[in-house]
Structure formats: C-alpha cells, structure tokens
Amino acid sequence: VETEAVSAHVFGDTGVLMGTQRARVRLPDGTEVTDVGYFTDVCQRRDGHWWVVLAHNIAAPGDTAPARS
C-alpha cells in the first residue's frame, strides 16, 4: 500500500488526513491488480493520544487495472 498527495489539517483536537491510496493485490489466479482510492481519515486527540474516529475510502474512477511490471 502506498499513499500519494497526502494533506493533513489540524483544528484544535481534530485532525483531517486526505489523500490517494494505491494498493497492489495478487488475485487467486495470479493476476496482479492495482486498486486506487481516495481516502479521508478524521482523528481526535483524547488524553494526549490521537484516535481515528472516522475512516472513509472511495474508489477512484477506473481504479482496478492490471499492475505494470
């Protein structure tokens, strides 16, 4: 799994992380595909620790394609 174009914003005790996630997966038949999606994670600071309170991911248009060798 790789991330690209990641941006982070902190608003007091709330943080928002957004970017693109690319995951290469090998299917049972041996075919490799690359899934690409856009993600948003919302974190909240509680007692000095950051906790993910929401994680959202949507597929990028045309997200599943054979991986390049």
Side-chain angles (χ1 to χ4, degrees), residues 1 11-12 14 17 25 28 30 34 44-45 51 53 58 61-62 65 67-69:
V1 175
F11 308 96
T14 302
L17 186 67
V25 179
T34 300
Q44 186 176 50
R45 185 172 29 210
W51 297 88
V53 295
I58 59 171
R68 295 185 219 162
S69 300

Side-chain angles (χ1 to χ4, degrees), residues 3 12 17 21 30 33 37-39 64:
T3 57
L17 186 67
Q21 179 174 300
V33 295
Y38 305 120
F39 71 90
T64 304

